[in-house]
Amino acid sequence: SALPEKKMVFKGLVTNKEDTNKLILTPLIHYPLLGGSALITFEKAEVAQRIIEMKEHTVELSYGEMDEVDQCRMRVQALPVDILLPSALEIGLMQSSRSILLSDLPNLGILQETLLDKLELFFSKTKNGGGEVEHREFLDDSGQVLLTFAKDGVAKLLIEKGHIEVSIGKGKYKLKISPYITGDITNMQLQPSRCPRTVLLSGIPNVLGEEPMRDTLEIHFQKASRGGGEVEAIAYVPVGQQGLAVFTEDV
């Protein structure tokens, strides 16, 4: 009951109570992309599989009414994209002996630094149950304030209260006090996973600008006559550069 509060919106289906203790992880995978390569994500997995099975592809670099002798082509290799995903995760939690979290903060329309000053002033006084504040921080992701005291024992007594009435300006506001809990990954197991809809293209020569090359690749691989299909996303890195692709879902 004393855990930090954070507003959440839950969407989805109701599950069996046996599943309530499971932690669901959303992948956020950083995939290095070397120069002279591209990643193409298709709308359908069967298209990606077909492109990979063909292995080598000849891509025309010029289109329109041109003589055969004037047509330029390049050969690129299609490879599957294999990434590592966590299959098991253990997290060790530890409650700080000197820090507290403050929530239910009032919206006073003042600067964050001004609010932090007022909170530090209030909680620095022993008559309010506080002590010397060593660190204060506004947590943007949760809208809470983290206070760290210089001595042990102050945080414990405040957490036992649960709530405290704080005077800020001419008003008094009831704030919730919660323990500050940190977590470290103590064990993580990874397993290889293949992206079903994404293909890695390698061996792309530096013969076109970045945007024309990206357009050329997309035009080629969306043609059904060449084994392709609708392209959902494409990322291209020219020779001599490096990129970083971020996978946020199973693509």
Side-chain angles (χ1 to χ4, degrees):
S1 61
L3 288 175
E5 289 186 349
K6 184 173 183 180
K7 294 182 180 179
M8 298 182 181
V9 177
F10 292 92
K11 298 180 180 180
L13 300 175
V14 177
T15 60
N16 297 328
K17 66 178 183 179
E18 289 79 9
D19 299 329
T20 56
N21 290 326
K22 292 183 179 179
L23 176 65
I24 299 176
L25 299 178
T26 301
L28 184 63
I29 307 299
H30 290 190
Y31 186 88
L33 198 57
L34 301 179
S37 60
L39 287 175
I40 296 185
T41 299
F42 295 95
E43 291 186 356
K44 295 182 179 180
E46 55 264 31
V47 175
Q49 183 61 33
R50 187 163 59 241
I51 293 297
I52 293 171
E53 290 176 353
M54 294 172 67
K55 294 184 179 179
E56 188 173 86
H57 298 262
T58 301
V59 181
E60 293 185 358
L61 298 177
S62 53
Y63 294 88
E65 297 179 358
M66 299 183 66
D67 295 333
E68 182 70 20
V69 70
D70 294 327
Q71 293 284 345
C72 296
R73 298 176 176 85
M74 66 177 182
R75 291 182 179 179
V76 298
Q77 287 72 44
L79 301 168
V81 178
D82 293 320
I83 58 178
L84 292 175
L85 292 177
S87 59
L89 181 67
E90 294 181 8
I91 300 177
L93 300 178
M94 182 176 64
Q95 180 177 329
S96 172
S97 62
R98 294 188 179 184
S99 299
I100 62 172
L101 284 177
L102 299 175
S103 53
D104 296 341
L105 299 171
N107 186 9
L108 301 177
I110 61 178
L111 296 175
Q112 289 183 3
E113 281 299 315
T114 302
L115 177 60
L116 290 175
D117 288 341
K118 294 183 180 297
L119 291 173
E120 180 178 352
L121 181 62
F122 179 88
F123 283 96
S124 294
K125 298 178 180 179
T126 54
K127 68 177 183 179
N128 296 328
E132 181 184 347
V133 176
E134 190 175 68
H135 174 76
R136 84 273 178 88
E137 181 182 354
F138 190 89
L139 306 178
D140 290 320
D141 62 338
S142 63
Q144 298 173 313
V145 167
L146 167 65
L147 290 182
T148 301
F149 298 97
K151 295 182 179 180
D152 290 327
V154 178
K156 182 176 183 296
L157 294 176
L158 288 171
I159 292 170
E160 289 175 353
K161 291 183 178 181
H163 292 83
I164 192 169
E165 192 172 69
V166 178
S167 298
I168 303 178
K170 297 181 180 180
K172 292 185 177 181
Y173 306 92
K174 188 177 183 180
L175 306 186
K176 180 176 176 57
I177 305 174
S178 306
Y180 179 62
I181 299 175
T182 58
D184 292 318
I185 296 177
T186 57
N187 182 33
M188 182 169 63
Q189 299 177 14
L190 301 173
Q191 66 177 10
S193 177
R194 178 159 295 181
C195 299
R197 296 190 293 117
T198 301
V199 177
L200 172 64
L201 301 176
S202 63
I204 304 174
N206 191 19
V207 293
L208 287 179
E210 185 172 344
E211 186 173 350
M213 179 62 79
R214 187 167 54 245
D215 293 341
T216 297
L217 292 171
E218 185 170 359
I219 290 171
H220 176 90
F221 285 99
Q222 71 181 1
K223 290 184 176 181
S225 60
R226 301 183 184 276
E230 287 297 322
V231 175
E232 183 177 293
I234 181 171
Y236 163 65
V237 179
V239 174
Q241 301 183 26
Q242 291 184 342
L244 190 66
V246 179
F247 291 92
T248 57
E249 59 181 64
D250 190 13
V251 295

